[in-house]
Amino acid sequence: MAWAILTAAFLASAVEFVEAFTIVLVVGLTINWRSSLVGTAAAAATLALLVGALGLALVYWIPLALLRLVIGILLILFGLKWLKKAILRYSGLKPLHDEEAIFEEQMAALRARGEQPRPRLEPFGVALSYKTVLLEGLEVAFIVISFGSSAITPSCSAGCALGTAALGASAAGLVVVLVGLLLQAPLKRVPENTLKFLVGIMLTTFGTFWSGEGLGINWPLEDAFLLVLAAFYLLCSALLVLWLRDQARRRAAPGFSSASLPERGGR
């Protein structure tokens, strides 16, 4: 369970950190790295306080069964949201997320404001980095608190569970920052849609498992039943992608819409 929590927190957080890093990179290249990194560090400190305070408060004030039920339902909703986006992109009904296009758009917006590289600390650059990292990081904080507060077992206390989830999120942030700083380019080669798909499967799986435990369900095979749930959701998602692709091909086929036939004949 500890490795599963660590992996899930790492993958889910990596997606959010990739999106946040694009704006941090824009600020660093357009204004200066000092402003960019100060804003990032301030947002990281805010999120650490939030996770520490809110996570421990949830653990000590709310009964574990109720906590698992509520967080399990939230994880299912959160996971299904990510799965929906990934499935629509895989089936061609939604364009893929393009970090390079976002990077260019943000660069153009800052240049239009007249922002130029300056050696001193710029409040606007700090604020932009802080806001971006904080907003993306709130989802990371939710993931860490959810996994940490629901993964408490006799062999792993509240501090252990929260620490495991926080370690996974921190590792993801460190990897994204190091790779991004070395490349100093948008992380467009990161298979973000694949990450969102896998994370959506994992969040939905854990959400189902924990909400079931909150309702008093004793899952067969205990923690190993997580693999069965993951396989079920993976199969359902794959079948849904295939079905949506087939529907998209049928709609794109010539003559699908009778109303469009006269226009094509006229051309």
Side-chain angles (χ1 to χ4, degrees):
M1 176 65 77
W3 281 106
I5 297 298
L6 187 70
T7 303
F10 179 90
L11 292 175
S13 301
V15 175
E16 302 300 334
F17 283 127
V18 167
E19 296 180 0
F21 181 79
T22 299
I23 308 301
V24 172
L25 180 63
V26 169
V27 174
L29 295 177
T30 306
I31 302 176
N32 58 58
W33 281 107
R34 182 185 300 178
S35 302
S36 179
L37 295 178
V38 167
T40 301
T46 303
L47 292 169
L49 290 173
L50 178 64
V51 170
L54 186 56
L56 292 175
L58 287 175
V59 169
Y60 289 113
W61 292 348
I62 301 178
L64 185 57
L66 178 60
L67 186 63
R68 283 179 172 170
L69 175 61
V70 173
I71 288 181
I73 293 173
L74 291 175
L75 282 180
I76 291 173
L77 296 176
F78 203 67
L80 289 177
K81 182 187 76 170
W82 280 21
L83 268 181
K84 176 185 174 182
K85 290 181 179 179
I87 288 172
L88 289 176
R89 285 170 177 161
Y90 275 136
S91 54
L93 299 177
K94 185 180 178 70
L96 291 175
H97 194 77
D98 191 344
E99 287 298 330
E100 186 175 20
I102 295 173
F103 175 81
E104 296 295 339
E105 181 182 345
Q106 293 294 330
M107 285 283 285
L110 287 183
R111 286 169 179 164
R113 284 178 49 94
E115 298 293 341
Q116 298 294 332
R118 301 179 180 90
R120 65 179 184 275
L121 196 67
E122 288 293 326
F124 174 74
V126 174
L128 182 57
S129 294
Y130 178 85
K131 180 193 72 173
T132 302
V133 175
L134 183 64
L135 289 178
E136 297 293 346
L138 285 175
E139 295 195 23
V140 175
F142 169 76
I143 291 166
V144 170
I145 292 172
S146 298
F147 279 103
S149 57
S150 298
I152 301 171
T153 62
S155 60
C156 186
S157 64
C160 168
L162 281 171
T164 300
L167 180 61
S170 301
L174 182 61
V175 169
V176 169
V177 170
L178 289 178
V179 172
L181 289 177
L182 287 174
L183 297 177
Q184 291 200 12
L187 300 176
K188 59 180 179 180
R189 294 184 180 179
V190 175
E192 185 179 351
N193 198 58
T194 302
L195 285 177
K196 283 192 173 182
F197 181 76
L198 293 176
V199 171
I201 293 290
M202 297 183 76
L203 293 181
T204 309
T205 297
F206 278 103
T208 303
F209 188 83
W210 283 330
S211 59
E213 284 191 330
L215 291 171
I217 296 175
N218 292 318
W219 298 105
L221 306 177
E222 297 182 343
D223 290 348
F225 196 73
L226 285 166
L227 298 176
V228 178
L229 289 173
F232 171 75
Y233 284 123
L234 185 61
L235 177 61
C236 291
S237 299
L239 292 175
L240 186 56
V241 168
L242 293 176
W243 180 75
L244 288 173
R245 282 181 179 174
D246 181 64
Q247 294 296 311
R249 281 195 297 266
R250 290 185 181 184
R251 292 180 181 179
F256 174 80
S257 175
S258 58
S260 63
L261 292 177
E263 297 179 5
R264 293 187 179 184
R267 293 179 183 175

